[in-house]
Amino acid sequence: MFIELVKGVSLLLALCFLHGVNVRLWRSRPLVGQVLSGAIFGGICVIGMLTPLVLKPGVIFDARSVVLSMAGLFGGPLVAGIAAAMAAAVRLLLAGEGAAVGLLVILLCAASGLLYRHARMRGWLGVDTITLACFGLLLHAAVLGLFQFLPADVARHFNALVAQPFLIAFTLATAVLGLLLRDIEERLSTERALADTAARLRAISRAIPDVLLVLDSEGRYVEVLSRDEGTLIARASDLVGRRLHEVLPPEQADGFMDLIRETLRSGRTHSIEYEMQTRSGRNHFEGRVQALGTLVNGLPAVVFLARDITERKQAEGALRESELRFRSVLLNIPSIAVLGYRAGGVLSYWNRAAERLYGYTAEEAMGRRLPDLIAPSALRGLMGADIDRMFATGRVIAARETRLRRKDGAPVDVFSSHAFVELPGQPPEMFCFDVDISDRKAAEEEARHLAFYDALTGLPNRRLLVERLQQALAEGSRAGLITAVFFLDLDDFKTLNDTRGHEVGDQLLRQVAGRLRGSVRERDTVARLSGDAFVVVVPGLSAGAQAAADQARALGELLLARLREPCDLAGHEYHFSASIGVALLDRAAESVDEALKQADMAMYRAKDAGRDTLRFFDPDMQQAVTRRATLEADLRAGLRQEQFLLLYQPQVDGEGRITGAEALVRWQHPEHGLVPPSEFIPMAEESGLILPLGNWVMETALRQQARWREDPVLGRLDLSINVSPRQFRQDDFVARILALLRDTGADPARIKLELTESLLLHSVDSAIETMRALRAHGLGFSLDDFGTGYSSLNYLKRLPLSQIKIDQSFVCGVLRDPSDAAIARSIIALADSLGLDVLAEGVETEAHRRFLLEHGCQAFQGFLFGRPMPLEALERQVRQGR
């Protein structure tokens, strides 16, 4: 029995050996290896069955249960299937009473091994001593159960003699064989992993461009790998086995040995840069040393990776040289100020030319904001916005000329350009290149001044005068405005030059230039034409010839007055005067020479008129200006001498009864008689005399209404008073009217203030506010000449009106012009829809009255009912009408 068990163990050991050799041999062809493994497992089973423990012919016991179960566990279905098939075939050939039970044992063991394998792959069971022993015990207990199907005497004999040793021996055999096979499996797995790792390392080492060295603790080359042997100090085959001191200079070898020892001691990776003579020349390297973590030939070792950085070093050297050269050029360039700054304008670079240009040292400038340093206060916001925009977009502003500021506050003209620099890993930076052009600008300005300005007075000379006059004529023509040209010549200047000398004459000319400049607008041009002749160009006068002439006359009178003022010439008081000729031009086609000629001719007429005076080129215009000036003077005198009076034109209702009157001002001129309003009202508006005149009309009319208030017949009359736009827009208009109502005692409910539509052209909201303030105190408002001016229904509905008046131009045409009739009907309907009274002006015939009455108009004013008349006549007519 013992010998049989020893034979079984020997077979199991042979099985382990053969299986391990087979797997290693057919590692690259796993299918062939599995087939052969199945044959080996099956062959061991066959051998075991051919030398079995025989209880009775045909009843045999061997180790096939152990072999087949391990074939299923470690070989898999293919190996287990082949082994089971071989064992089953031989068992059938052996036959006997136990053949059927033998076949069942074969199937049970192979299937049990496969089930164990499945549980192992799922992670349910492991392959360890206890698990294998338990598996063997359970398996062979099942086999003992199958043996109970043998003939009864055989089963009793087996149970008595063999069962217990069988169960113990084969359980142990199962555990031992499983452990041996597991060991073989793990070794093979480790070998495969090592082979794979080695293959990967070989591939990596061949792929990397670096030199890979393995050096032991004595500095001996253990392994040398390099794609290019030109980077080595010698051929790889010549280096292996040699020490560092044998191939390197002593100092360099000592340094490497120190590095190896420190790496092995600390266990950390170390880096080094060095230069070495190689087979291809003198090269620079960057090395990294790492402990290998295992002994090589019994000694600790390190892995040394050396990368050739010769090209990088050369590039870095060239870059440093280029940078040094560039920085030296930027720092010392004599004529270009270089200013570097980052986002927000914070300065990061300031060269010597910038120090000279702006007066700040580099230490003073660095870290400060560029706009705060060199920008004038008016340009700081703009420069800051430009800087923010450049950094936001990466696009620089166009190169341009600009005026900046030095440290001492002095201005400096520069030509400035920019470059945007952005390096990887660095904040973007802007470089500004400023070139000082102050000398050039000064030279240009001086040349321009000499070319266009008079050296004595600093005024524009004839050349610049011609240019500006052409421009003024062209702009005036496009805008429809008139340009005035004043030709001024000093009276008796030659006598001053002859008696006092040219130096004194030059002093006078300079003073005249100053007075002329101080008397005109900035946009006007004062030029010295020659000698004592000056020209003043005043563009942008009114489009109307009469208004432009009035404006020119006012300026000319101002110039004459300024020139009459005494001056100090070399310590002596001197009185002088000038003669001025004026030409008014309204067409760009008129030549400059013609304009100057006209003004010159007018100046000579001024001299002929006695000097110290003003004359216009156009004789008719001159006459009109003179008459207008005379009229203005008479108007002022008329206000002082109370030459104005009020006439009253009756206003009637639909039945012809007088319901009120309109107060109309007239001028009783002592020489020209009764002057119509159409002549003196415009003059009063332009000269500002309309204010005192309007105040007189308002006070006189209110006092008259207060007197009517005491009369039971006249007290029912409404009184309409015209108010000029200029008067109405006075800041104190409301306060003045309310004061007059208190002082005179007039009834505000009987007062209507008549306004023209021209009021709507200027500050409608302000006009509405003024009207509401007076309406709150009982005064009414009537819109005069409705339909002839700025008629906006939007404004009309907002105005606090009580009446609108149909202009007489429409009333006169209602019988002959369908358009006028339609307009009149529309105004009546509009007034009715807005809840306003309507009054028709200029009603001269009964037919006009009937037409208007038929279409809803209930109030009239015109010659049909009475012309403007004195107060007594109106009162008499009212009393008679009663």
Side-chain angles (χ1 to χ4, degrees):
M1 183 75 178
F2 176 75
I3 294 175
E4 295 300 328
L5 291 176
V6 171
K7 287 168 55 179
V9 172
S10 299
L11 288 175
L12 294 180
L13 292 175
L15 171 64
C16 291
F17 174 76
L18 292 175
H19 177 66
V21 171
N22 177 68
V23 172
R24 289 186 180 88
L25 184 64
W26 297 101
R27 183 182 302 161
S28 60
R29 301 181 67 181
L31 182 60
V32 175
Q34 287 185 6
V35 172
L36 292 178
S37 290
I40 291 171
F41 277 91
I44 295 298
C45 290
V46 171
I47 293 172
M49 287 187 294
L50 292 178
T51 57
L53 173 65
V54 179
L55 293 182
K56 184 181 180 181
V59 180
I60 59 177
F61 300 96
D62 53 54
R64 62 180 180 272
S65 60
V66 177
V67 174
L68 290 174
S69 63
M70 293 300 102
L73 174 59
F74 290 100
L78 181 59
V79 174
I82 293 173
M86 291 176 63
V90 172
R91 186 66 187 87
L92 287 174
L93 289 175
L94 294 176
E97 293 181 9
V101 173
L103 291 176
L104 291 175
V105 170
I106 291 171
L107 293 175
L108 173 64
C109 294
S112 299
L114 291 174
L115 288 174
Y116 191 174
R117 179 185 181 88
H118 179 72
R120 179 190 180 188
M121 293 178 66
R122 291 294 182 92
W124 299 339
L125 296 176
V127 181
D128 52 68
T129 303
I130 295 176
T131 305
L132 287 170
C134 293
F135 172 74
L137 181 63
L138 292 173
L139 174 64
H140 288 94
V143 172
L144 289 178
L146 290 176
F147 283 166
Q148 303 308 310
F149 292 100
L150 291 171
D153 58 335
V154 175
R156 286 193 301 273
H157 183 67
F158 174 79
N159 292 336
L161 298 178
V162 181
Q164 185 176 358
F166 175 87
L167 184 62
I168 295 172
F170 283 167
T171 296
L172 294 175
T174 301
V176 171
L177 181 60
L179 292 175
L180 292 174
L181 291 175
R182 187 195 68 179
D183 183 64
I184 292 172
E185 185 182 66
E186 289 178 350
R187 287 191 178 189
L188 291 174
S189 177
T190 302
E191 288 177 3
R192 281 194 297 270
L194 289 174
D196 292 343
T197 302
R200 286 195 297 271
L201 289 176
R202 282 194 298 271
I204 292 171
S205 64
R206 292 191 185 99
I208 63 175
D210 303 337
V211 176
L212 189 149
L213 307 174
V214 178
L215 300 167
D216 62 22
S217 59
E218 294 180 352
R220 184 176 288 105
Y221 289 94
V222 177
E223 189 170 356
V224 179
L225 296 175
S226 177
R227 293 177 59 186
D228 181 11
E229 290 199 347
T231 59
L232 299 174
I233 195 170
R235 288 185 300 179
S237 59
D238 295 337
L239 290 174
V240 175
R242 300 177 69 183
R243 297 178 62 189
L244 291 172
H245 282 84
E246 297 176 21
V247 296
L248 295 178
E251 299 83 1
Q252 196 168 37
D254 290 341
F256 282 124
M257 287 304 301
D258 292 341
L259 183 63
I260 291 172
R261 294 189 189 100
E262 176 61 24
T263 301
L264 292 173
R265 185 192 65 79
S266 64
R268 297 195 305 270
T269 302
H270 289 78
S271 299
I272 185 175
E273 285 192 11
Y274 60 94
E275 188 177 359
M276 177 183 290
Q277 183 66 38
T278 66
R279 299 181 67 193
S280 61
R282 196 77 178 171
N283 289 0
H284 292 269
F285 293 90
E286 180 182 64
R288 293 177 63 85
V289 188
Q290 172 69 47
L292 187 59
T294 185
L295 297 179
V296 177
N297 299 326
L299 295 174
V302 297
V303 176
F304 190 102
L305 280 177
R307 173 165 296 179
D308 188 350
I309 58 172
T310 304
E311 292 184 1
R312 193 186 81 188
K313 283 290 186 180
Q314 292 173 347
E316 289 176 353
L319 181 61
R320 281 194 299 271
E321 181 181 350
S322 174
E323 184 178 0
L324 287 173
R325 187 183 299 112
F326 176 72
R327 285 188 173 274
S328 179
V329 168
L330 287 185
L331 183 63
N332 299 298
I333 191 169
S335 57
I336 301 178
V338 182
L339 292 65
Y341 56 90
R342 294 192 173 92
V346 178
L347 284 161
S348 58
Y349 186 79
W350 191 267
N351 72 347
R352 292 194 178 100
E355 292 180 342
R356 291 191 295 271
L357 179 60
Y358 294 111
Y360 296 94
T361 65
E363 291 75 13
E364 292 174 321
M366 298 292 279
R368 297 180 63 181
R369 291 186 70 253
L370 182 64
D372 298 337
L373 207 64
I374 64 173
S377 56
L379 291 181
R380 284 177 191 164
L382 179 60
M383 182 180 287
D386 286 342
I387 290 173
D388 292 342
R389 185 166 55 255
M390 287 192 293
F391 276 96
T393 63
R395 295 192 298 271
V396 300
I397 60 176
R400 61 190 180 189
E401 295 181 2
T402 185
R403 174 162 289 184
L404 300 174
R405 184 191 65 177
R406 300 182 195 269
K407 181 180 180 181
D408 59 5
V412 56
D413 291 299
V414 300
F415 180 80
S416 184
S417 56
H418 290 75
F420 185 71
V421 178
E422 189 171 14
L423 298 176
Q426 298 291 329
E429 194 169 7
M430 194 73 64
F431 281 88
C432 176
F433 305 92
D434 291 345
V435 179
D436 186 359
I437 58 172
S438 299
D439 292 341
R440 192 197 81 190
K441 296 291 285 186
E444 290 176 354
E445 186 63 28
E446 182 179 0
R448 184 179 183 280
H449 195 274
L450 291 174
F452 291 100
Y453 290 87
D454 175 54
L456 176 64
T457 61
L459 296 176
N461 58 17
R462 183 182 184 90
R463 181 177 178 182
L464 184 55
L465 169 66
V466 170
E467 179 181 310
R468 290 188 178 177
L469 183 53
Q470 288 174 336
Q471 180 181 355
L473 291 175
E475 292 177 353
S477 177
R478 287 194 298 269
L481 302 176
I482 292 175
T483 299
V485 179
F486 295 77
F487 197 108
L488 184 148
D489 187 86
L490 301 182
D491 297 331
D492 298 323
F493 181 72
K494 185 176 183 302
T495 303
L496 175 67
N497 262 344
D498 293 341
T499 58
R500 303 284 299 276
H502 289 281
E503 290 186 3
V504 174
D506 289 346
Q507 291 182 29
L508 177 61
L509 293 176
R510 283 192 289 267
Q511 293 194 36
V512 169
R515 294 184 185 185
L516 293 177
R517 272 197 303 258
S519 302
V520 297
R521 303 168 301 182
E522 185 177 352
R523 62 181 293 196
D524 301 333
T525 297
V526 179
R528 183 187 178 205
L529 199 59
S530 63
D532 62 331
F534 296 85
V535 173
V536 179
V537 178
V538 181
L541 298 182
S542 297
Q546 186 61 59
D550 292 342
Q551 295 168 351
R553 181 188 62 79
L555 178 58
E557 294 291 350
L558 174 63
L559 295 178
L560 290 174
R562 290 294 308 276
L563 295 177
R564 292 188 192 107
E565 297 173 3
C567 62
D568 187 343
L569 298 179
H572 297 279
E573 185 178 280
Y574 181 73
H575 293 265
F576 68 101
S577 63
S579 298
I580 300 178
V582 184
L584 298 179
L585 311 170
D586 60 356
R587 296 189 305 276
E590 295 187 68
S591 68
V592 171
D593 289 339
E594 184 65 23
L596 294 175
K597 180 180 178 181
Q598 292 178 7
D600 186 38
M601 292 173 60
M603 183 272 296
Y604 277 109
R605 282 199 292 272
K607 285 193 177 289
D608 293 340
R611 304 187 179 187
D612 190 22
T613 189
L614 174 76
R615 288 293 183 269
F616 283 83
F617 169 72
D618 187 349
D620 295 334
M621 184 177 294
Q622 176 64 52
Q623 182 179 359
V625 170
T626 301
R627 183 175 182 279
R628 196 172 186 84
T630 303
L631 183 62
E632 181 178 343
D634 291 347
L635 187 59
R636 294 181 184 276
L639 285 171
R640 291 194 304 270
Q641 299 170 13
E642 299 182 352
Q643 296 175 1
F644 293 89
L645 55 87
L646 287 182
L647 299 181
Y648 299 85
Q649 186 172 23
Q651 297 173 341
V652 303
D653 58 14
E655 297 177 4
R657 292 192 301 267
I658 298 177
T659 59
E662 180 180 359
L664 302 170
V665 65
R666 296 292 186 268
W667 183 11
Q668 187 66 48
H669 196 279
E671 296 179 6
H672 305 296
L674 202 62
V675 180
S678 60
E679 291 189 22
F680 70 85
I681 292 297
M683 168 59 68
E685 288 277 4
E686 293 176 10
S687 63
L689 295 175
I690 193 66
L691 297 178
L693 180 59
N695 292 335
W696 177 86
V697 170
M698 184 66 68
E699 181 177 359
T700 304
L702 291 179
R703 291 192 184 280
Q704 183 56 53
Q705 200 283 327
R707 287 191 289 270
W708 285 351
R709 191 174 184 180
E710 304 299 325
D711 190 307
V713 176
L714 302 176
R716 61 180 177 79
L717 296 179
D718 293 332
L719 183 60
S720 297
I721 307 171
N722 290 285
V723 178
S724 75
R726 189 166 182 175
Q727 183 182 6
F728 184 84
R729 287 193 291 268
Q730 291 294 301
D731 293 338
D732 61 345
F733 179 73
V734 174
R736 187 183 295 272
I737 295 299
L738 296 180
L740 286 175
L741 287 172
R742 289 192 301 269
D743 294 342
T744 60
D747 182 7
R750 293 296 180 182
I751 303 296
K752 283 192 179 68
L753 301 183
E754 292 197 4
L755 308 177
T756 61
E757 289 182 274
S758 60
L759 270 175
L760 304 180
L761 295 175
H762 304 282
S763 185
V764 175
D765 293 332
S766 177
I768 293 173
E769 182 179 352
T770 300
M771 294 171 68
R772 286 176 176 170
L774 293 175
R775 185 70 179 266
H777 289 82
L779 281 87
F781 290 91
S782 176
L783 189 60
D784 196 13
D785 303 331
F786 183 77
T788 61
Y790 185 82
S791 299
S792 169
L793 299 181
N794 182 49
Y795 291 140
L796 186 62
K797 71 178 183 179
R798 296 171 56 197
L799 293 173
L801 296 171
S802 54
Q803 182 186 73
I804 58 175
K805 300 178 74 172
I806 306 176
D807 185 72
Q808 60 182 354
S809 61
F810 301 124
V811 173
C812 292
V814 294
L815 300 179
R816 64 177 184 277
D817 189 340
S819 296
D820 287 345
I823 292 173
R825 289 193 300 268
S826 298
I827 293 174
I828 295 169
L830 176 63
D832 181 66
S833 65
L834 294 176
L836 300 177
D837 296 334
V838 62
L839 183 146
E841 292 182 300
V843 179
E844 299 182 354
T845 66
E846 181 60 23
H848 288 107
R849 189 188 74 84
R850 284 198 303 271
F851 175 90
L852 294 167
L853 190 62
E854 289 171 0
H855 290 88
C857 182
Q858 298 294 325
F860 308 91
Q861 179 180 339
F863 290 171
L864 178 63
F865 312 104
R867 295 175 178 272
M869 61 188 68
L871 176 64
E872 297 79 11
L874 174 69
E875 292 178 346
R876 184 168 54 254
Q877 188 171 337
V878 172
R879 295 183 188 279
Q880 290 174 354
R882 180 185 175 191

